[in-house]
Amino acid sequence: MTNGAFNGTALNAHRGETAVRLGGETIVLRPTFECLAEIESALGEGLLATARRVAHSGLGFRDAAALIAAGSKAAGRSLDPRWLRQALLDAGLVGLSAPLCAFLVGAVTGAAPGDAQPAPAAEGDAARPIPGAGSVN
């Protein structure tokens, strides 16, 4: 669902795009910086905290609405909030959980959804400390 096409909609895995089917439509979600900041603002917590909470407690309607609204807006499509709320009620959360969790994982790991492998470090990067990371020993 994250590479190639989803129900005839082309997805760009290099951008981390994911698609959900909602209200009879395919909605593309793109994790831009602005999108992720909007999700954090809407949910009142950092994205990593959201990902952890969703992993432990499950996806809620407020989570789904925030992810879909911001992700679709970043992909160039603003959804009417009333339409989105009704479409979420009609669809339920079960079928949306997998693609929305993949979207979250891609956003917090920096990988395209379904591609959990980190990018290879450039030569010499391993020897440089990460500012603020502290000692690993």
Side-chain angles (χ1 to χ4, degrees):
M1 189 163 43
T2 57
N3 293 312
F6 177 75
N7 286 345
T9 301
L11 299 176
N12 186 334
H14 296 290
R15 288 184 176 167
E17 290 180 348
T18 302
V20 295
R21 189 86 177 137
L22 192 63
E25 301 182 36
T26 300
I27 300 168
V28 175
L29 310 177
R30 182 179 299 149
T32 64
F33 179 85
E34 292 79 9
C35 162
L36 303 179
E38 185 175 328
I39 292 166
E40 290 179 334
S41 179
L43 296 177
E45 63 186 359
L47 203 61
L48 188 55
T50 298
R52 286 181 179 148
R53 182 177 48 75
V54 167
H56 288 95
S57 305
L59 184 73
F61 280 101
R62 192 171 70 116
D63 302 318
L67 292 166
I68 293 169
S72 64
K73 182 176 165 185
R77 181 177 177 189
S78 292
L79 301 175
D80 178 70
R82 290 176 299 198
W83 178 88
L84 178 56
R85 288 191 297 266
Q86 187 60 53
L88 284 170
L89 284 173
D90 292 344
L93 294 176
V94 173
L96 297 172
S97 291
L100 292 179
C101 286
F103 181 72
L104 267 175
V105 167
V108 299
T109 63
D115 179 18
Q117 300 298 318
E123 189 174 323
D125 280 354
R128 271 187 259 155
I130 299 171
S135 176
V136 291
N137 294 337

